[in-house]
Amino acid sequence: MADWNPLTRVARLRNAKPARKNDDDPFGRIPPGQYLTNKFPVLTYGETPVVNLEDWRLKVWGLVENPLELNWQEFRALPSKEIVCDLHCVTRWSQLGMKWEGVPFSEIAKLAKPKPEAKYVMQHCYGGYTTNLPLDEMYEDDVLVAFNYDGRPLPTDHGGPVRMLVPKLYLWKSAKWLNGIEFMRSDKAGFWENYGYHNHGDPWTEERFG
Ligand SMILES: Nc1nc2c(c(=O)[nH]1)N[C@H]1C(S)=C(S)[C@@H](COP(=O)(O)O)O[C@H]1N2
Ligand SMILES: [Mo]
């Protein structure tokens, strides 16, 4: 996996057949071109970083009044909540009713106090992955800095100790091993966005490629 060429991956996905229409979607929860699974595949570009809780930090910087660096105790002392959500991956799997717990992005923003010029957010990670979104969308009430999945600490493969979770968008917008949140004036492409994924990634309108 570590030496996949990202361009080859994007080209292969562009040519992939859409998933067949789901007959098993009575509630209309599966976006077009997706198939339903009960599995939670692991998709990582490169090595899986292993970070222990003593060393873990979350840095918040950029266009904020109050730049932060939180250690684990400080992070876990913030208000947190549980959500149940459906997740959709651009590789075409969807899983429904996934249970997550985390600190809402809005709680972290409240501490950091974004300046009025801050309009975009870059998520940064152990390992170097990045992904970008407009600040407005990060304030959706289901956007979490997630530390538990299905009632247990988030497994390393899925981004533990913490990952961002942006359930309304394709899963590449949810950075695993999150260690930084940067508030920016203007938009900038993240890792996959640079290699041809869509800048936004709404599964309902199939914003797969840019
Ligand atoms: N740090 C990091 N975050 C990442 C990735 C990655 O390679 N590194 N891959 C992204 C992509 S493309 C997907 S589809 C999801 C996969 O999450 P999962 O492995 O928990 O299914 O993580 C996203 N977040
Ligand atoms: Mo992905």
Side-chain angles (χ1 to χ4, degrees):
M1 289 267 228
D3 49 21
W4 281 353
N5 180 338
L7 288 172
T8 315
R9 171 179 158 139
V10 173
R12 201 185 301 136
L13 265 182
R14 269 186 198 279
N15 294 326
K17 273 208 325 267
R20 68 173 181 82
K21 195 179 168 318
N22 285 285
D23 302 322
D24 46 2
D25 183 20
F27 302 105
R29 283 164 68 177
I30 305 175
Q34 298 292 111
Y35 66 87
L36 182 62
T37 179
N38 291 318
K39 297 208 187 77
F40 190 1
V42 171
L43 289 157
T44 301
Y45 188 77
E47 302 298 321
T48 295
V50 177
V51 190
N52 61 49
L53 296 183
E54 298 82 80
D55 298 332
W56 182 87
R57 296 289 183 278
L58 179 64
K59 247 178 98 170
V60 183
W61 76 95
L63 295 173
V64 292
E65 304 290 351
N66 186 28
L68 306 170
E69 186 172 284
L70 302 173
N71 65 27
W72 185 253
Q73 283 72 28
E74 293 164 335
F75 170 71
R76 290 293 284 107
L78 298 176
S80 58
K81 71 172 182 189
E82 275 190 17
I83 64 163
V84 175
C85 64
D86 302 343
L87 292 184
H88 313 292
C89 180
V90 70
T91 58
R92 299 191 181 277
W93 62 263
S94 292
Q95 195 188 150
L96 307 182
M98 299 175 86
K99 197 170 95 188
W100 293 83
E101 186 177 357
V103 175
F105 170 84
S106 58
E107 292 291 341
I108 291 174
K110 206 194 283 175
L111 289 178
K113 300 190 171 55
K115 296 181 177 172
E117 319 80 276
K119 298 289 184 230
Y120 295 89
V121 168
M122 187 69 84
Q123 304 171 35
H124 295 268
C125 302
Y126 290 101
Y129 183 85
T130 52
T131 188
N132 57 305
L133 280 174
L135 177 56
D136 284 357
E137 304 212 26
M138 300 297 290
Y139 281 122
E140 295 280 317
D141 57 11
D142 56 359
V143 175
L144 300 182
V145 178
F147 53 80
N148 274 358
Y149 166 64
D150 208 18
R152 289 189 210 92
L154 181 58
T156 305
D157 278 349
H158 288 297
V162 303
R163 80 181 298 166
M164 191 68 83
L165 187 68
V166 185
K168 289 194 184 70
L169 301 177
Y170 285 127
L171 200 51
W172 88 80
K173 289 292 184 181
S174 295
K176 304 195 283 187
W177 313 293
L178 186 78
N179 73 354
I181 301 174
E182 178 187 4
F183 289 78
M184 312 184 294
R185 184 187 309 268
S186 38
D187 201 7
K188 209 162 73 183
F191 178 81
W192 281 118
E193 294 82 6
N194 254 317
Y195 283 112
Y197 279 19
H198 197 280
N199 198 47
H200 182 233
D202 179 357
W204 292 98
T205 53
E206 292 201 75
E207 292 176 337
R208 298 173 187 274
F209 307 105

